[in-house]
Amino acid sequence: MKSYLSLLLLFILPHFCFAQIDTTYIKPFDNKLSLRTYLSMKFLSMEQESGGEIKKFMPNTPMSLGLGVSVNNTIINLSYGQGLSFMKDPEKGKTKAFDFQIHNYGRKFIIDLFIQKYHGFYTSDNSDKNIQLYPDLNIQQYGAFGQYVFNNKKFSYKAAFNQNEKQLKSAGSFLIGGGVYFTKIGSDSSFVHKSRNSLRNFQFGVSGGYAYTWAINKRWFTSGSITTGINFGTERINDFGKQRIEIYPTFFPRISAGYNKEKWSLGLSYVNNLIFSSFSDNNNNNVGLVSGNLQIGYIWRLDSNPFFKKKKLD
């Protein structure tokens, strides 16, 4: 179990894009300071398809309980998380994991960063039985992904995932962007890819998609986006132009739902990113990595200075 305290200086660029908004569609909350508590499940799993057989390698990592303080309209976000180790299933082995993710939702741009290192996985059948352990399997993924939001005056990713503002009317937007990833997979013997016990992959590419938020009523909303793309990759960045370049499909869905009042909010969000580190049309030696974050959170909004309120003038 690992605990972490991080002071995140979050991406100056999106906060310098002072885009005007249509106030009939988007309404920022007046409070600048908010306290957050959340249950979060970060993950990194692998699917390997060879000869028509699919094996899904899962980590045995528990949910974590987090506390956070965010200051809207600044680049500072402070958070603390503690893993709930009692939720681990001892039959599924041990997983050592370092998982650092940032999902930053700006007005015009959204940015995702992944630094993930997992050691120890298991497989099971559809009923979560017949468990097999792979304690020697090690997976590392480093990635950066960004997209531009076209309809940023009427559609708000902040309202859907940060809940520091409110989507008053239903709206959507087309998205365009891309990402870059580096993957390293290795084991003593449990992972075999093209007669080797290791795999390295560097890839980058472009993507496009669409996002939409449905404002159900004054309090409730639900939101979703789907992004697909094409990446180009090889084992090492220095191999571009020297070796055969492979082409990989990508898929990045997000969903959220929530309830907003002026002083507090409840929210559920799910981010899922699928990339392939090896892909072929005949379904031979395909290796896909699925990473993301499931989060349930409660937000309590405060005045900028809750201890020293301004006195009303007579």
Side-chain angles (χ1 to χ4, degrees):
M1 179 183 66
K2 293 184 179 180
S3 62
Y4 50 91
L5 179 65
S6 60
L7 181 63
L8 309 178
L9 300 180
L10 291 182
F11 312 113
I12 297 176
L13 177 59
H15 295 278
F16 279 92
C17 298
F18 298 109
Q20 293 181 348
I21 60 174
D22 187 334
T23 55
T24 63
Y25 280 81
I26 302 171
K27 176 185 178 297
F29 287 105
D30 294 332
N31 306 87
K32 303 303 180 184
L33 178 67
S34 63
L35 304 179
R36 298 169 181 258
T37 181
Y38 55 86
L39 284 172
S40 176
M41 171 67 81
K42 297 178 181 179
F43 57 89
L44 174 65
S45 63
M46 178 179 72
E47 291 188 5
Q48 183 179 23
E49 183 175 6
S50 180
E53 181 183 0
I54 300 176
K55 294 179 69 175
K56 188 171 183 178
F57 299 84
M58 299 291 298
N60 186 19
T61 51
M63 296 191 77
S64 63
L65 176 65
L67 299 173
V69 178
S70 63
V71 183
N72 300 335
N73 304 319
T74 73
I75 61 171
I76 298 175
N77 180 53
L78 181 66
S79 63
Y80 175 82
Q82 181 70 41
L84 304 177
S85 59
F86 66 88
M87 298 180 68
K88 285 185 178 181
D89 187 343
E91 295 184 358
K92 295 179 179 178
K94 295 182 179 180
T95 299
K96 295 181 179 179
F98 174 81
D99 195 320
F100 179 74
Q101 298 182 35
I102 295 176
H103 305 284
N104 185 54
Y105 300 97
R107 178 69 60 205
K108 291 185 176 181
F109 298 93
I110 59 173
I111 301 176
D112 304 275
L113 291 182
F114 302 87
I115 302 176
Q116 298 171 288
K117 300 179 181 181
Y118 282 69
H119 194 114
F121 290 80
Y122 73 92
T123 61
S124 63
D125 58 21
N126 293 332
S127 59
D128 206 24
K129 303 295 183 182
N130 299 320
I131 296 172
Q132 295 184 352
L133 304 183
Y134 300 87
D136 61 321
L137 180 58
N138 175 67
I139 302 177
Q140 299 179 39
Q141 178 177 250
Y142 308 86
F145 181 83
Q147 285 193 310
Y148 178 77
V149 182
F150 283 96
N151 190 22
N152 51 74
K153 293 183 179 181
K154 294 183 178 180
F155 170 79
S156 172
Y157 255 123
K158 292 183 176 184
F161 288 88
N162 289 344
Q163 290 180 263
N164 56 4
E165 57 188 31
K166 190 174 180 180
Q167 187 81 47
L168 301 177
K169 295 181 181 180
S170 300
S173 177
F174 287 101
L175 313 167
I176 192 169
V180 56
Y181 299 91
F182 173 73
T183 302
K184 185 177 180 181
I185 304 172
S187 73
D188 296 334
S189 59
S190 58
F191 174 77
V192 180
H193 176 72
K194 297 181 179 179
S195 302
R196 294 187 299 177
N197 298 121
S198 64
L199 184 154
R200 291 171 59 97
N201 178 265
F202 174 83
Q203 60 181 276
F204 67 92
V206 296
S207 64
Y210 189 78
Y212 188 83
T213 295
W214 180 28
I216 301 172
N217 55 37
K218 293 182 179 181
R219 304 293 185 193
W220 290 96
F221 74 89
T222 183
S223 182
S225 67
I226 297 178
T227 300
T228 60
I230 296 176
N231 282 359
F232 306 90
T234 186
E235 284 194 3
R236 294 175 176 82
I237 187 172
N238 294 333
D239 293 337
F240 277 94
K242 300 178 182 178
Q243 295 186 1
R244 178 177 174 268
I245 303 300
E246 295 186 347
I247 299 176
Y248 314 99
T250 64
F251 185 58
F252 202 153
R254 308 172 198 254
I255 60 173
S256 69
Y259 179 85
N260 290 316
K261 295 198 74 173
E262 196 64 30
K263 293 295 184 180
W264 60 270
S265 295
L266 286 172
L268 167 69
S269 64
Y270 179 67
V271 177
N272 185 302
N273 188 18
L274 169 62
I275 67 168
F276 286 88
S277 295
S278 179
F279 184 80
S280 60
D281 294 334
N282 58 6
N283 297 327
N284 186 31
N285 291 316
N286 289 347
V287 177
L289 295 182
V290 182
S291 62
N293 187 12
L294 170 66
Q295 185 168 298
I296 303 171
Y298 173 80
I299 303 168
W300 181 30
R301 282 179 284 274
L302 304 172
D303 295 328
S304 297
N305 193 334
F307 301 104
F308 299 96
K309 295 183 178 179
K310 293 181 180 179
K311 295 182 179 181
K312 293 183 179 180
L313 296 176
D314 294 333

